[in-house]
PDB file of all heavy atoms in Angstrom:
ATOM      1  N   THR M 124      -8.582  75.624 -27.943  1.00  0.00           N
ATOM      2  CA  THR M 124      -8.297  77.053 -27.711  1.00  0.00           C
ATOM      3  C   THR M 124      -8.788  77.903 -28.867  1.00  0.00           C
ATOM      4  O   THR M 124      -8.876  79.102 -28.728  1.00  0.00           O
ATOM      5  CB  THR M 124      -6.773  77.302 -27.523  1.00  0.00           C
ATOM      6  OG1 THR M 124      -6.059  76.989 -28.732  1.00  0.00           O
ATOM      7  CG2 THR M 124      -6.207  76.527 -26.341  1.00  0.00           C
ATOM      8  N   PHE M 125      -9.117  77.279 -29.989  1.00  0.00           N
ATOM      9  CA  PHE M 125      -9.524  78.037 -31.160  1.00  0.00           C
ATOM     10  C   PHE M 125     -11.031  78.307 -31.165  1.00  0.00           C
ATOM     11  O   PHE M 125     -11.827  77.392 -30.932  1.00  0.00           O
ATOM     12  CB  PHE M 125      -9.122  77.285 -32.442  1.00  0.00           C
ATOM     13  CG  PHE M 125      -7.629  77.243 -32.636  1.00  0.00           C
ATOM     14  CD1 PHE M 125      -6.924  76.147 -32.187  1.00  0.00           C
ATOM     15  CD2 PHE M 125      -6.978  78.271 -33.244  1.00  0.00           C
ATOM     16  CE1 PHE M 125      -5.564  76.091 -32.340  1.00  0.00           C
ATOM     17  CE2 PHE M 125      -5.598  78.246 -33.388  1.00  0.00           C
ATOM     18  CZ  PHE M 125      -4.889  77.158 -32.950  1.00  0.00           C
ATOM     19  N   PRO M 126     -11.399  79.547 -31.424  1.00  0.00           N
ATOM     20  CA  PRO M 126     -12.838  79.935 -31.378  1.00  0.00           C
ATOM     21  C   PRO M 126     -13.729  79.096 -32.298  1.00  0.00           C
ATOM     22  O   PRO M 126     -14.838  78.737 -31.925  1.00  0.00           O
ATOM     23  CB  PRO M 126     -12.830  81.387 -31.792  1.00  0.00           C
ATOM     24  CG  PRO M 126     -11.451  81.870 -31.585  1.00  0.00           C
ATOM     25  CD  PRO M 126     -10.564  80.698 -31.731  1.00  0.00           C
ATOM     26  N   GLY M 127     -13.259  78.787 -33.485  1.00  0.00           N
ATOM     27  CA  GLY M 127     -14.070  78.001 -34.416  1.00  0.00           C
ATOM     28  C   GLY M 127     -14.313  76.575 -33.937  1.00  0.00           C
ATOM     29  O   GLY M 127     -15.388  76.020 -34.127  1.00  0.00           O
ATOM     30  N   VAL M 128     -13.318  75.999 -33.300  1.00  0.00           N
ATOM     31  CA  VAL M 128     -13.465  74.651 -32.768  1.00  0.00           C
ATOM     32  C   VAL M 128     -14.444  74.671 -31.572  1.00  0.00           C
ATOM     33  O   VAL M 128     -15.304  73.808 -31.460  1.00  0.00           O
ATOM     34  CB  VAL M 128     -12.102  74.046 -32.353  1.00  0.00           C
ATOM     35  CG1 VAL M 128     -12.264  72.682 -31.720  1.00  0.00           C
ATOM     36  CG2 VAL M 128     -11.173  73.981 -33.565  1.00  0.00           C
ATOM     37  N   GLN M 129     -14.313  75.688 -30.751  1.00  0.00           N
ATOM     38  CA  GLN M 129     -15.247  75.834 -29.625  1.00  0.00           C
ATOM     39  C   GLN M 129     -16.667  76.026 -30.113  1.00  0.00           C
ATOM     40  O   GLN M 129     -17.593  75.393 -29.593  1.00  0.00           O
ATOM     41  CB  GLN M 129     -14.850  77.027 -28.756  1.00  0.00           C
ATOM     42  CG  GLN M 129     -13.578  76.821 -27.993  1.00  0.00           C
ATOM     43  CD  GLN M 129     -13.207  78.030 -27.164  1.00  0.00           C
ATOM     44  OE1 GLN M 129     -14.004  78.940 -26.966  1.00  0.00           O
ATOM     45  NE2 GLN M 129     -11.994  78.042 -26.656  1.00  0.00           N
ATOM     46  N   ALA M 130     -16.850  76.833 -31.127  1.00  0.00           N
ATOM     47  CA  ALA M 130     -18.198  77.075 -31.689  1.00  0.00           C
ATOM     48  C   ALA M 130     -18.763  75.780 -32.250  1.00  0.00           C
ATOM     49  O   ALA M 130     -19.939  75.462 -32.006  1.00  0.00           O
ATOM     50  CB  ALA M 130     -18.133  78.171 -32.760  1.00  0.00           C
ATOM     51  N   TRP M 131     -17.934  75.054 -32.996  1.00  0.00           N
ATOM     52  CA  TRP M 131     -18.404  73.771 -33.552  1.00  0.00           C
ATOM     53  C   TRP M 131     -18.800  72.797 -32.445  1.00  0.00           C
ATOM     54  O   TRP M 131     -19.846  72.159 -32.518  1.00  0.00           O
ATOM     55  CB  TRP M 131     -17.311  73.140 -34.430  1.00  0.00           C
ATOM     56  CG  TRP M 131     -17.661  71.743 -34.793  1.00  0.00           C
ATOM     57  CD1 TRP M 131     -18.546  71.333 -35.744  1.00  0.00           C
ATOM     58  CD2 TRP M 131     -17.237  70.550 -34.125  1.00  0.00           C
ATOM     59  NE1 TRP M 131     -18.664  69.956 -35.751  1.00  0.00           N
ATOM     60  CE2 TRP M 131     -17.860  69.461 -34.757  1.00  0.00           C
ATOM     61  CE3 TRP M 131     -16.340  70.298 -33.088  1.00  0.00           C
ATOM     62  CZ2 TRP M 131     -17.640  68.134 -34.370  1.00  0.00           C
ATOM     63  CZ3 TRP M 131     -16.126  68.995 -32.693  1.00  0.00           C
ATOM     64  CH2 TRP M 131     -16.761  67.925 -33.330  1.00  0.00           C
ATOM     65  N   TRP M 132     -17.970  72.697 -31.390  1.00  0.00           N
ATOM     66  CA  TRP M 132     -18.262  71.761 -30.328  1.00  0.00           C
ATOM     67  C   TRP M 132     -19.631  72.062 -29.674  1.00  0.00           C
ATOM     68  O   TRP M 132     -20.395  71.164 -29.381  1.00  0.00           O
ATOM     69  CB  TRP M 132     -17.152  71.785 -29.277  1.00  0.00           C
ATOM     70  CG  TRP M 132     -17.428  70.833 -28.160  1.00  0.00           C
ATOM     71  CD1 TRP M 132     -17.898  71.133 -26.928  1.00  0.00           C
ATOM     72  CD2 TRP M 132     -17.273  69.401 -28.180  1.00  0.00           C
ATOM     73  NE1 TRP M 132     -18.065  69.982 -26.167  1.00  0.00           N
ATOM     74  CE2 TRP M 132     -17.661  68.914 -26.922  1.00  0.00           C
ATOM     75  CE3 TRP M 132     -16.830  68.506 -29.130  1.00  0.00           C
ATOM     76  CZ2 TRP M 132     -17.642  67.562 -26.597  1.00  0.00           C
ATOM     77  CZ3 TRP M 132     -16.796  67.149 -28.815  1.00  0.00           C
ATOM     78  CH2 TRP M 132     -17.203  66.683 -27.573  1.00  0.00           C
ATOM     79  N   LYS M 133     -19.909  73.343 -29.493  1.00  0.00           N
ATOM     80  CA  LYS M 133     -21.141  73.739 -28.832  1.00  0.00           C
ATOM     81  C   LYS M 133     -22.402  73.428 -29.649  1.00  0.00           C
ATOM     82  O   LYS M 133     -23.482  73.271 -29.074  1.00  0.00           O
ATOM     83  CB  LYS M 133     -21.098  75.211 -28.462  1.00  0.00           C
ATOM     84  CG  LYS M 133     -20.090  75.507 -27.376  1.00  0.00           C
ATOM     85  CD  LYS M 133     -19.930  76.972 -27.110  1.00  0.00           C
ATOM     86  CE  LYS M 133     -18.837  77.163 -26.074  1.00  0.00           C
ATOM     87  NZ  LYS M 133     -18.448  78.574 -25.960  1.00  0.00           N
ATOM     88  N   VAL M 134     -22.268  73.333 -30.977  1.00  0.00           N
ATOM     89  CA  VAL M 134     -23.467  73.128 -31.815  1.00  0.00           C
ATOM     90  C   VAL M 134     -23.457  71.790 -32.567  1.00  0.00           C
ATOM     91  O   VAL M 134     -24.342  71.538 -33.359  1.00  0.00           O
ATOM     92  CB  VAL M 134     -23.641  74.267 -32.850  1.00  0.00           C
ATOM     93  CG1 VAL M 134     -23.817  75.599 -32.132  1.00  0.00           C
ATOM     94  CG2 VAL M 134     -22.486  74.331 -33.832  1.00  0.00           C
ATOM     95  N   ARG M 135     -22.469  70.952 -32.309  1.00  0.00           N
ATOM     96  CA  ARG M 135     -22.368  69.674 -33.061  1.00  0.00           C
ATOM     97  C   ARG M 135     -23.712  68.932 -32.979  1.00  0.00           C
ATOM     98  O   ARG M 135     -24.283  68.782 -31.908  1.00  0.00           O
ATOM     99  CB  ARG M 135     -21.212  68.825 -32.520  1.00  0.00           C
ATOM    100  CG  ARG M 135     -21.484  68.329 -31.126  1.00  0.00           C
ATOM    101  CD  ARG M 135     -20.245  67.805 -30.416  1.00  0.00           C
ATOM    102  NE  ARG M 135     -20.604  67.305 -29.127  1.00  0.00           N
ATOM    103  CZ  ARG M 135     -20.921  68.043 -28.078  1.00  0.00           C
ATOM    104  NH1 ARG M 135     -20.923  69.348 -28.161  1.00  0.00           N
ATOM    105  NH2 ARG M 135     -21.243  67.485 -26.924  1.00  0.00           N
ATOM    106  N   PRO M 136     -24.203  68.480 -34.127  1.00  0.00           N
ATOM    107  CA  PRO M 136     -25.524  67.841 -34.140  1.00  0.00           C
ATOM    108  C   PRO M 136     -25.532  66.393 -33.664  1.00  0.00           C
ATOM    109  O   PRO M 136     -26.563  65.881 -33.284  1.00  0.00           O
ATOM    110  CB  PRO M 136     -25.957  67.946 -35.587  1.00  0.00           C
ATOM    111  CG  PRO M 136     -24.669  67.997 -36.353  1.00  0.00           C
ATOM    112  CD  PRO M 136     -23.694  68.672 -35.477  1.00  0.00           C
ATOM    113  N   ILE M 137     -24.384  65.726 -33.743  1.00  0.00           N
ATOM    114  CA  ILE M 137     -24.308  64.309 -33.377  1.00  0.00           C
ATOM    115  C   ILE M 137     -23.462  64.185 -32.138  1.00  0.00           C
ATOM    116  O   ILE M 137     -22.329  64.682 -32.100  1.00  0.00           O
ATOM    117  CB  ILE M 137     -23.704  63.485 -34.560  1.00  0.00           C
ATOM    118  CG1 ILE M 137     -24.553  63.661 -35.811  1.00  0.00           C
ATOM    119  CG2 ILE M 137     -23.616  62.012 -34.169  1.00  0.00           C
ATOM    120  CD1 ILE M 137     -23.906  63.131 -37.061  1.00  0.00           C
ATOM    121  N   PRO M 138     -23.966  63.529 -31.089  1.00  0.00           N
ATOM    122  CA  PRO M 138     -23.207  63.467 -29.846  1.00  0.00           C
ATOM    123  C   PRO M 138     -22.042  62.475 -29.907  1.00  0.00           C
ATOM    124  O   PRO M 138     -21.997  61.584 -30.747  1.00  0.00           O
ATOM    125  CB  PRO M 138     -24.250  62.991 -28.827  1.00  0.00           C
ATOM    126  CG  PRO M 138     -25.223  62.218 -29.640  1.00  0.00           C
ATOM    127  CD  PRO M 138     -25.272  62.873 -30.995  1.00  0.00           C
ATOM    128  N   PHE M 139     -21.125  62.682 -29.005  1.00  0.00           N
ATOM    129  CA  PHE M 139     -20.055  61.714 -28.772  1.00  0.00           C
ATOM    130  C   PHE M 139     -20.423  60.954 -27.497  1.00  0.00           C
ATOM    131  O   PHE M 139     -21.427  61.212 -26.863  1.00  0.00           O
ATOM    132  CB  PHE M 139     -18.712  62.456 -28.561  1.00  0.00           C
ATOM    133  CG  PHE M 139     -18.184  63.064 -29.842  1.00  0.00           C
ATOM    134  CD1 PHE M 139     -18.482  64.342 -30.232  1.00  0.00           C
ATOM    135  CD2 PHE M 139     -17.332  62.306 -30.649  1.00  0.00           C
ATOM    136  CE1 PHE M 139     -17.987  64.876 -31.397  1.00  0.00           C
ATOM    137  CE2 PHE M 139     -16.820  62.838 -31.827  1.00  0.00           C
ATOM    138  CZ  PHE M 139     -17.142  64.130 -32.211  1.00  0.00           C
ATOM    139  N   ALA M 140     -19.582  59.993 -27.113  1.00  0.00           N
ATOM    140  CA  ALA M 140     -19.795  59.218 -25.887  1.00  0.00           C
ATOM    141  C   ALA M 140     -19.900  60.205 -24.710  1.00  0.00           C
ATOM    142  O   ALA M 140     -19.211  61.225 -24.680  1.00  0.00           O
ATOM    143  CB  ALA M 140     -18.654  58.243 -25.661  1.00  0.00           C
ATOM    144  N   GLU M 141     -20.758  59.891 -23.771  1.00  0.00           N
ATOM    145  CA  GLU M 141     -20.981  60.792 -22.625  1.00  0.00           C
ATOM    146  C   GLU M 141     -19.695  61.111 -21.882  1.00  0.00           C
ATOM    147  O   GLU M 141     -19.449  62.251 -21.509  1.00  0.00           O
ATOM    148  CB  GLU M 141     -21.998  60.181 -21.654  1.00  0.00           C
ATOM    149  CG  GLU M 141     -23.415  60.285 -22.144  1.00  0.00           C
ATOM    150  CD  GLU M 141     -24.406  59.771 -21.091  1.00  0.00           C
ATOM    151  OE1 GLU M 141     -24.186  59.987 -19.884  1.00  0.00           O
ATOM    152  OE2 GLU M 141     -25.388  59.133 -21.508  1.00  0.00           O
ATOM    153  N   SER M 142     -18.863  60.103 -21.648  1.00  0.00           N
ATOM    154  CA  SER M 142     -17.624  60.340 -20.893  1.00  0.00           C
ATOM    155  C   SER M 142     -16.678  61.235 -21.677  1.00  0.00           C
ATOM    156  O   SER M 142     -16.030  62.091 -21.080  1.00  0.00           O
ATOM    157  CB  SER M 142     -16.968  59.013 -20.547  1.00  0.00           C
ATOM    158  OG  SER M 142     -16.686  58.249 -21.708  1.00  0.00           O
ATOM    159  N   PHE M 143     -16.600  61.056 -22.987  1.00  0.00           N
ATOM    160  CA  PHE M 143     -15.707  61.928 -23.792  1.00  0.00           C
ATOM    161  C   PHE M 143     -16.283  63.355 -23.816  1.00  0.00           C
ATOM    162  O   PHE M 143     -15.539  64.315 -23.706  1.00  0.00           O
ATOM    163  CB  PHE M 143     -15.566  61.376 -25.190  1.00  0.00           C
ATOM    164  CG  PHE M 143     -14.668  62.233 -26.068  1.00  0.00           C
ATOM    165  CD1 PHE M 143     -13.313  62.272 -25.833  1.00  0.00           C
ATOM    166  CD2 PHE M 143     -15.202  62.948 -27.138  1.00  0.00           C
ATOM    167  CE1 PHE M 143     -12.483  63.068 -26.639  1.00  0.00           C
ATOM    168  CE2 PHE M 143     -14.403  63.731 -27.932  1.00  0.00           C
ATOM    169  CZ  PHE M 143     -13.019  63.787 -27.698  1.00  0.00           C
ATOM    170  N   THR M 144     -17.596  63.482 -23.966  1.00  0.00           N
ATOM    171  CA  THR M 144     -18.236  64.792 -23.963  1.00  0.00           C
ATOM    172  C   THR M 144     -17.963  65.506 -22.647  1.00  0.00           C
ATOM    173  O   THR M 144     -17.616  66.714 -22.629  1.00  0.00           O
ATOM    174  CB  THR M 144     -19.756  64.666 -24.203  1.00  0.00           C
ATOM    175  OG1 THR M 144     -19.942  64.061 -25.487  1.00  0.00           O
ATOM    176  CG2 THR M 144     -20.438  66.001 -24.153  1.00  0.00           C
ATOM    177  N   ALA M 145     -18.092  64.806 -21.529  1.00  0.00           N
ATOM    178  CA  ALA M 145     -17.808  65.401 -20.228  1.00  0.00           C
ATOM    179  C   ALA M 145     -16.340  65.825 -20.152  1.00  0.00           C
ATOM    180  O   ALA M 145     -16.035  66.910 -19.599  1.00  0.00           O
ATOM    181  CB  ALA M 145     -18.142  64.422 -19.100  1.00  0.00           C
ATOM    182  N   TYR M 146     -15.451  65.003 -20.679  1.00  0.00           N
ATOM    183  CA  TYR M 146     -14.024  65.351 -20.680  1.00  0.00           C
ATOM    184  C   TYR M 146     -13.800  66.654 -21.473  1.00  0.00           C
ATOM    185  O   TYR M 146     -13.130  67.577 -20.989  1.00  0.00           O
ATOM    186  CB  TYR M 146     -13.193  64.207 -21.254  1.00  0.00           C
ATOM    187  CG  TYR M 146     -11.804  64.625 -21.587  1.00  0.00           C
ATOM    188  CD1 TYR M 146     -10.849  64.841 -20.603  1.00  0.00           C
ATOM    189  CD2 TYR M 146     -11.436  64.861 -22.922  1.00  0.00           C
ATOM    190  CE1 TYR M 146      -9.573  65.263 -20.925  1.00  0.00           C
ATOM    191  CE2 TYR M 146     -10.182  65.297 -23.221  1.00  0.00           C
ATOM    192  CZ  TYR M 146      -9.245  65.508 -22.241  1.00  0.00           C
ATOM    193  OH  TYR M 146      -7.976  65.935 -22.543  1.00  0.00           O
ATOM    194  N   VAL M 147     -14.311  66.708 -22.705  1.00  0.00           N
ATOM    195  CA  VAL M 147     -14.095  67.896 -23.539  1.00  0.00           C
ATOM    196  C   VAL M 147     -14.725  69.118 -22.879  1.00  0.00           C
ATOM    197  O   VAL M 147     -14.116  70.198 -22.866  1.00  0.00           O
ATOM    198  CB  VAL M 147     -14.644  67.675 -24.975  1.00  0.00           C
ATOM    199  CG1 VAL M 147     -14.607  68.968 -25.777  1.00  0.00           C
ATOM    200  CG2 VAL M 147     -13.846  66.595 -25.672  1.00  0.00           C
ATOM    201  N   ASP M 148     -15.947  68.980 -22.349  1.00  0.00           N
ATOM    202  CA  ASP M 148     -16.567  70.106 -21.661  1.00  0.00           C
ATOM    203  C   ASP M 148     -15.744  70.616 -20.506  1.00  0.00           C
ATOM    204  O   ASP M 148     -15.626  71.810 -20.280  1.00  0.00           O
ATOM    205  CB  ASP M 148     -17.988  69.717 -21.196  1.00  0.00           C
ATOM    206  CG  ASP M 148     -18.968  69.594 -22.364  1.00  0.00           C
ATOM    207  OD1 ASP M 148     -18.687  70.085 -23.463  1.00  0.00           O
ATOM    208  OD2 ASP M 148     -20.044  68.969 -22.110  1.00  0.00           O
ATOM    209  N   SER M 149     -15.115  69.690 -19.746  1.00  0.00           N
ATOM    210  CA  SER M 149     -14.259  70.129 -18.632  1.00  0.00           C
ATOM    211  C   SER M 149     -13.004  70.817 -19.138  1.00  0.00           C
ATOM    212  O   SER M 149     -12.550  71.777 -18.524  1.00  0.00           O
ATOM    213  CB  SER M 149     -13.907  68.938 -17.737  1.00  0.00           C
ATOM    214  OG  SER M 149     -12.941  68.095 -18.341  1.00  0.00           O
TER     215      SER M 149
END
Side-chain angles (χ1 to χ4, degrees):
T124 64
F125 292 94
V128 177
Q129 291 179 13
W131 169 80
W132 180 258
K133 291 174 184 168
V134 299
R135 67 196 183 286
I137 302 168
F139 287 91
E141 283 184 38
S142 57
F143 180 69
T144 299
Y146 165 75
V147 172
D148 288 344
S149 74

